[in-house]
Each structure stands twice: as structure tokens, then as C-alpha cells.
Amino acid sequence: MEQEPKLLFKVTLLRHEKSLYKDEDHELTPEGSERAIEIGKKLKKEGTINDEDDTYLIHSPQARAKGTLDSVAQGAGLGNKSKRSIDQLRMSDMLDFDAFMQRSDELGGEGELIAKDHYTHPMHSKGSKVIEPHEFKKKRLYRACEYLIRWFEHHPSQGDTSHVIAVSHFEIITHLINDVFGIK
């Protein structure tokens, strides 16, 4: 007898909002925080986030990811939900900080350009000595997905569905989007 497919969980994956990139912890800018609150309101209004689901909030250990998730949760009315930092969702590891800063200076210190550069510049691909190679980031991300799937297989939802809302970084999320959806 063939088993009926079942939805284990749904995931809403967000990139952190705009951060200062000049301070040590890269806290969100006021604009970034406001935009994240609006995203939370929009996700609630359109039904992506609803009260029937068991909702789990996870984020990268970086302050800008946690701040984004805090603000999204606030906007969606989930402000009192506990949040968990997941190391596998962290940004790329810096192998040569001085070389990374030199490359960042070449890009004018612009956070968006730096994030895109992590994914597109050949110096960051296989065998990189500056930043964690793409293959390591992908392996880490997919390992986290594997753990998530196994966890939900053994902990069925008490509501309609389990819903994971996760905030990570551009250079991590792009691999998932490219591999799963073929979007560059």
C-alpha cells in the first residue's frame, strides 16, 4: 500500500535586514528594523504566518539576524515566542580577515556588494583561502536542513503544521535558492 505524502513542515527563510556594517555587532539600522516589522505584518496578513501552526523561530548567531527575527516576530504578533540561534545558519567563516577587509575596501565597504561578492567572486569558491568556500557553506546548510527534517519526523506538529521562520545571510541563502530553484 502506497503511503500518502505528508507535509512535515513549512519554512519561511529570510535574509537579515539592513545593518550598520560599521559597528562591531552589525546591529540593524532603524530602517532595517522598521522593514522587518513590516515584513512580519505582511506575512501575518497574507496568512503565511498563522495562529494554527506550531511556529519555531531560528536565526544565525549574528546580531543582525537575531534583530531581524525579533522585528519580524514583533510585526507578526509572535514577539513572546522563544527564538533559537543555530550555528549552521551563521555567515561565512573568515579565513584571512585582512584579505577579506582589503576586498571589502575594493567594494567601497558597501554591505550589499560585499554579500553578493561572497557568492559570485571566484576567489570565494572552491579552495578559497580568504573566506569559507561555497562547498563548505552548502554542506553546513544542508546538514542543518537534514537535522530539521529528522527532528520534525520525530516531533509531529500539535497544530495544523510546523512552521519554521529562519533568518540567515545572503551568502548562505543564495546556495539554497540556486540549488533548489535554479535561480541565480
Side-chain angles (χ1 to χ4, degrees):
M1 179 186 225
E2 196 171 308
Q3 257 189 329
E4 191 71 25
K6 80 173 192 181
L7 180 66
L8 288 177
F9 60 95
K10 59 185 180 180
V11 176
T12 301
L13 183 58
L14 304 165
R15 178 189 183 239
H16 67 78
E17 272 296 337
K18 188 174 183 178
S19 64
L20 296 170
Y21 279 107
K22 299 291 182 197
D23 66 347
E24 189 173 307
D25 293 325
H26 303 304
E27 295 287 338
L28 290 183
T29 63
E31 175 191 359
S33 184
E34 284 178 33
R35 285 187 357 192
I37 290 169
E38 290 305 312
I39 288 169
K41 288 177 182 176
K42 179 181 178 193
L43 292 173
K44 181 76 170 188
K45 182 178 179 184
E46 66 187 21
T48 301
I49 296 174
N50 64 63
D51 297 331
E52 289 76 39
D53 291 341
D54 287 336
T55 305
Y56 301 90
L57 306 175
I58 61 176
H59 59 84
S60 151
Q62 297 293 315
R64 58 188 176 270
K66 181 182 183 312
T68 299
L69 188 58
D70 287 343
S71 295
V72 168
Q74 177 186 341
L78 301 172
N80 60 350
K81 273 262 190 219
S82 64
K83 297 160 193 78
R84 187 165 172 212
S85 172
I86 304 291
D87 188 53
Q88 287 86 354
L89 295 178
R90 72 184 184 276
M91 64 182 209
S92 301
D93 293 334
M94 302 299 155
L95 305 176
D96 182 340
F97 187 74
D98 291 336
F100 173 77
M101 290 310 295
Q102 180 181 343
R103 179 70 183 152
S104 296
D105 289 344
E106 290 169 11
L107 297 169
E110 175 57 44
E112 296 296 317
L113 291 176
I114 294 167
K116 287 179 183 170
D117 189 68
H118 284 197
Y119 185 69
T120 59
H121 197 282
M123 78 182 226
H124 303 307
S125 61
K126 191 172 186 170
S128 173
K129 293 181 180 11
V130 175
I131 195 167
E132 179 183 14
H134 296 326
E135 64 191 64
F136 293 3
K137 290 181 272 193
K138 287 169 86 167
K139 186 183 286 187
R140 176 167 38 94
L141 176 63
Y142 292 132
R143 187 72 178 175
C145 290
E146 177 187 352
Y147 285 134
L148 203 55
I149 290 168
R150 290 187 189 285
W151 193 89
F152 282 115
E153 283 178 334
H154 298 291
H155 298 88
S157 174
Q158 300 302 308
D160 285 353
T161 306
S162 295
H163 184 181
V164 175
I165 302 172
V167 178
S168 189
H169 305 267
F170 181 88
E171 74 270 17
I172 304 302
I173 295 171
T174 48
H175 293 292
L176 186 63
I177 292 171
N178 187 2
D179 289 357
V180 174
F181 301 106
I183 299 170
K184 297 269 184 206

